[in-house]
């Protein structure tokens, strides 16, 4: 969930970050007894030291009939959360046939880096495809694994679904393909990419923005026309991936869509010209466009493949508009709200939370944010301590309401980034959760 802290430029949203405290519903002694007993009996212990992965076998039953598995995280900056997700991804790929990994990172960059994989080291591929907050020791292991799997003939395909991008990553790979056919068009692509990334920051007025945007839109449309005219020649120079050409053209169109929608709202906000409709703020528009990109990935690019999603809890949870209180106290629509019902029915969504420790702040990848410890009484983080294990998974989807599970159906506090209180009905937002007793800050690779 790339933010600074989510790149908030809106005074309204900044004000909302000052949370009022929320007292979690008190637990009667009888409730606590039933809840603790149920959690102790039904939480699945996770054991990263078990090379046989016996501890993950319950996933075969839990995920039956689900084509999409979403793996969240309450903070981007935790080594243990990253390592837990990497381990689960390997299992899902090897044992359950999930062959696509969709990252909360730019669509053009993630795909171009994957298609360019043979020319990159795992570390370089990681840095050119996903956001810097995940340029860590534990995540580079995942990119080692992807290279190994491709060499074995059982690839784990990397893609992205975000609209925020990494400068030079897409151009670096795509330029090679275009240059092999037309060096002048390759130069046009490089210049357009350079101008794309400075469009909002360099524009001082809406007139400047509009003029430069229209010129760039013309450039990208010219590149799309070029790709269409030279499709067969381009395909011959693209990597030996059947979808490479389709991804290339979609990436060019995405640049146009981002400029004409998301960047337009960013520019208005820069000039303090705020929209009346909350959904038109760039903060919420990003989630709408991420949902559109993921839908395209799931239904057009890889309609027959099983997909793993890596993203922040905020984006992947089912419907932020049903939150009692989210971290910005606006309860605006998130990516989960915008996804069509047909995709939601195919999806199992997992949130990840921590009881104690600390993580990095993604605004600078240096600031350490301690987890509130002990967590609020009656919170998710507090309740799952009853499992008496350092790492557990709890399934919500297949659980019926009873005395032991009523905590899933009643308002519950959870901690965004480990210290900002949110309120939700857990069953409305997640199909399951992973709870970690202790987390430590990620180690960023330079």
């Amino acid at each position: 969930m790339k933010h600074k802290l989510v790149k908030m430029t809106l005074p309204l949203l900044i004000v909302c970050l000052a949370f009022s405290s929320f007292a979690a519903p008190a637990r009667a002694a009888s409730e606590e007894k039933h809840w603790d007993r149920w959690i102790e009996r039904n939480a699945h212990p996770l054991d990263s030291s078990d090379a046989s992965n016996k501890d993950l076998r319950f996933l075969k039953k839990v995920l039956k009939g689900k084509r999409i598995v979403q793996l969240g995280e309450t903070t981007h900056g935790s080594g243990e959360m990253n390592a837990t997700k990497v381990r689960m991804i390997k299992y899902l790929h090897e044992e359950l046939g999930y062959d696509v990994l969709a990252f909360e990172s730019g669509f053009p960059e993630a795909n171009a880096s994957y298609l360019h994989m043979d020319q990159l080291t795992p570390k370089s591929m990681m840095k050119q495809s996903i956001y810097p907050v995940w340029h860590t020791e534990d995540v580079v292991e995942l990119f080692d694994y992807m290279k190994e799997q491709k060499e074995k003939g059982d690839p784990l395909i990397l893609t992205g679904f975000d609209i925020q991008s990494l400068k030079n990553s897409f151009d670096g790979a795509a330029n090679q393909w275009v240059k092999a056919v037309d060096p002048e068009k390759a130069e046009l692509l490089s210049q357009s990419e350079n101008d794309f990334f400075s469009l909002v920051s360099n524009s001082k007025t809406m007139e400047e923005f509009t003029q430069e945007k229209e010129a760039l839109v013309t450039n990208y449309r010219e590149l799309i026309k070029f790709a269409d005219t030279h499709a067969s020649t381009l395909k011959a120079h693209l990597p030996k991936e059947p979808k490479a050409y389709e991804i290339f053209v979609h990436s060019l169109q995405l640049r146009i869509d981002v400029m004409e929608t998301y960047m337009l709202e960013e520019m208005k906000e820069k000039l303090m010209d705020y929209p009346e409709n909350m959904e038109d703020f760039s903060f919420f528009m990003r989630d709408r466009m991420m949902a559109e990109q993921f839908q395209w990935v799931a239904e057009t690019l890889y309609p027959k493949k099983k997909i793993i999603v890596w993203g922040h809890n905020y984006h992947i949870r089912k419907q932020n508009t049903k939150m009692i209180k989210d971290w910005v106290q606006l309860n605006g629509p998130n990516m989960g709200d915008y996804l069509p019902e047909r995709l939601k029915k195919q999806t199992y969504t997992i949130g990840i939370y921590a009881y104690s420790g600390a993580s990095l702040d993604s605004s600078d990848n240096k600031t350490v944010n301690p987890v509130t410890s002990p967590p609020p009484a009656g919170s998710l983080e507090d309740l799952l301590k009853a499992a008496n294990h350092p790492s557990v998974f709890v399934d919500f989807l297949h659980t019926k309401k009873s005395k032991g599970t009523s905590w899933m159906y009643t308002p519950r506090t959870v901690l965004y980034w480990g210290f900002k209180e949110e309120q939700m009905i857990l069953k409305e937002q997640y199909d399951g959760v992973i709870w970690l007793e202790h987390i430590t800050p990620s180690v960023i690779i330079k």
Side-chain angles (χ1 to χ4, degrees):
M1 182 182 191
K2 195 179 177 216
H3 39 36
K4 296 184 180 179
L5 241 126
V6 183
K7 200 178 176 183
M8 294 291 203
T9 59
L10 312 180
L12 174 64
L13 294 179
I14 293 174
V15 169
C16 289
L17 290 178
F19 277 3
S20 59
S21 61
F22 163 66
R27 288 192 283 171
S30 58
E31 280 186 315
E32 185 171 347
K33 179 178 66 176
H34 290 299
W35 293 354
D36 289 355
R37 184 182 299 130
W38 187 94
I39 291 168
E40 188 174 4
R41 291 177 177 176
N42 293 278
H44 298 275
L46 302 178
D47 183 5
S48 60
S49 66
D50 184 358
S52 70
N53 292 325
K54 288 182 180 179
D55 60 312
L56 296 178
R57 289 179 183 174
F58 69 89
L59 289 172
K60 294 182 180 181
K61 181 178 180 180
V62 167
L63 299 178
K64 186 176 181 181
K66 296 297 183 180
R67 184 169 81 94
I68 300 164
V69 177
Q70 298 194 111
L71 299 177
E73 54 194 40
T74 191
T75 167
H76 286 326
S78 159
E80 287 75 14
M81 288 188 186
N82 289 339
T84 298
K85 291 168 79 167
V86 169
R87 181 169 180 256
M88 287 194 71
I89 288 167
K90 291 179 180 180
Y91 182 84
L92 291 173
H93 176 60
E94 293 173 12
E95 300 296 331
L96 301 184
Y98 289 84
D99 291 334
V100 175
L101 173 60
F103 241 95
E104 181 196 324
S105 288
F107 176 90
E109 293 74 31
N111 285 283
S113 297
Y114 178 76
L115 295 173
H116 201 45
M117 179 191 290
D118 294 342
Q119 301 177 43
L120 299 171
T121 64
K123 179 179 175 181
S124 295
M125 182 184 169
M126 175 183 71
K127 289 193 169 188
Q128 291 183 31
S129 58
I130 60 176
Y131 297 146
V133 70
W134 292 302
H135 295 176
T136 65
E137 291 181 348
D138 30 68
V139 177
V140 78
E141 179 186 334
L142 176 61
F143 285 80
D144 273 316
Y145 177 78
M146 280 190 277
K147 284 185 72 72
E148 291 171 0
Q149 291 302 299
K150 191 170 184 182
E151 290 169 2
K152 290 179 179 178
D154 183 23
L156 174 61
I157 301 166
L158 178 67
T159 186
F161 58 87
D162 207 342
I163 60 166
Q164 295 180 342
S165 297
L166 294 169
K167 189 174 182 180
N168 298 326
S169 293
F170 172 64
D171 178 41
N175 192 275
Q176 293 184 33
W177 309 330
V178 177
K179 191 174 183 179
V181 180
D182 188 329
E184 288 187 7
K185 288 297 187 289
E187 180 60 32
L188 177 65
L189 174 61
S190 292
Q191 186 58 55
S192 298
E193 284 287 288
N194 186 64
D195 293 342
F196 172 85
F197 282 93
S198 61
L199 178 57
V200 174
S201 60
N202 284 357
S203 299
K204 295 181 176 60
T205 66
M206 184 57 73
E207 289 73 21
E208 285 184 14
F209 172 84
T210 301
Q211 184 177 3
E212 181 63 21
K213 174 189 66 92
E214 289 177 352
L216 280 171
V217 168
T218 298
N219 287 352
Y220 282 107
R221 283 177 177 159
E222 183 178 338
L223 288 165
I224 292 172
K225 183 178 180 180
F226 158 77
D228 181 58
T229 304
H230 298 82
S232 58
T233 310
L234 270 175
K235 288 177 182 179
H237 289 280
L238 288 170
K240 294 180 180 179
E241 293 286 345
K243 297 182 181 291
Y245 174 80
E246 187 177 7
I247 289 169
F248 173 60
V249 174
H250 186 79
S251 297
L252 296 174
Q253 182 61 50
L254 180 58
R255 293 294 197 233
I256 296 174
D257 296 341
V258 168
M259 286 189 289
E260 293 190 328
T261 52
Y262 179 75
M263 283 187 172
L264 175 61
E265 295 307 321
E266 277 194 314
M267 188 64 199
K268 288 179 181 178
E269 290 160 15
K270 177 181 175 180
L271 299 173
M272 298 185 179
D273 178 16
Y274 304 117
E276 293 184 7
N277 184 355
M278 180 171 62
E279 294 185 36
D280 287 336
F281 281 111
S282 61
F283 178 69
F284 298 109
M285 185 174 288
R286 178 190 172 203
D287 272 68
R288 186 175 78 211
M289 296 185 74
M290 286 200 295
E292 292 169 355
Q293 290 310 304
F294 181 71
Q295 182 180 344
W296 191 83
V297 167
E299 297 186 334
T300 302
L301 191 61
Y302 300 115
K304 296 182 179 181
K305 290 191 178 294
K306 298 172 77 173
I307 303 170
I308 306 164
V309 175
W310 180 310
H312 194 279
N313 285 348
Y314 174 84
H315 298 305
I316 63 103
R317 61 190 176 208
K318 295 181 179 182
Q319 39 196 345
N320 198 67
T321 49
K322 280 198 171 184
M323 292 284 288
I324 300 167
K325 181 177 75 173
D326 71 3
W327 70 283
V328 288
Q329 290 190 319
L330 290 177
N331 294 9
N334 71 333
M335 176 178 161
D337 280 296
Y338 285 118
L339 287 174
E341 286 300 318
R342 61 182 178 275
L343 277 184
K344 292 181 182 182
K345 291 177 181 178
Q346 301 174 45
T347 302
Y348 191 100
T349 298
I350 302 171
I352 303 183
Y353 290 92
Y355 180 84
S356 65
S359 66
L360 294 183
D361 191 323
S362 64
S363 63
D364 60 7
N365 287 348
K366 294 178 182 178
T367 302
V368 174
N369 292 319
V371 173
T372 298
S373 188
S379 65
L380 171 71
E381 292 86 348
D382 172 56
L383 292 179
L384 294 186
K385 189 77 163 64
N388 293 318
H389 194 278
S391 177
V392 297
F393 179 96
V394 178
D395 173 55
F396 296 162
L397 182 63
H398 304 94
T399 302
K400 295 181 179 180
K401 190 173 183 179
S402 67
K403 289 182 179 180
T405 63
S406 59
W407 55 276
M408 301 179 190
Y409 296 81
T410 50
R412 201 66 33 211
T413 294
V414 299
L415 296 177
Y416 170 92
W417 223 270
F419 63 92
K420 285 186 170 67
E421 292 188 10
E422 298 186 304
Q423 289 174 251
M424 67 174 71
I425 306 295
L426 292 167
K427 284 275 288 190
E428 291 181 348
Q429 301 300 335
Y430 302 114
D431 297 309
V433 294
I434 291 172
W435 177 91
L436 304 175
E437 185 173 32
H438 191 76
I439 60 172
T440 55
S442 300
V443 177
I444 302 293
I445 295 176
K446 301 299 183 182

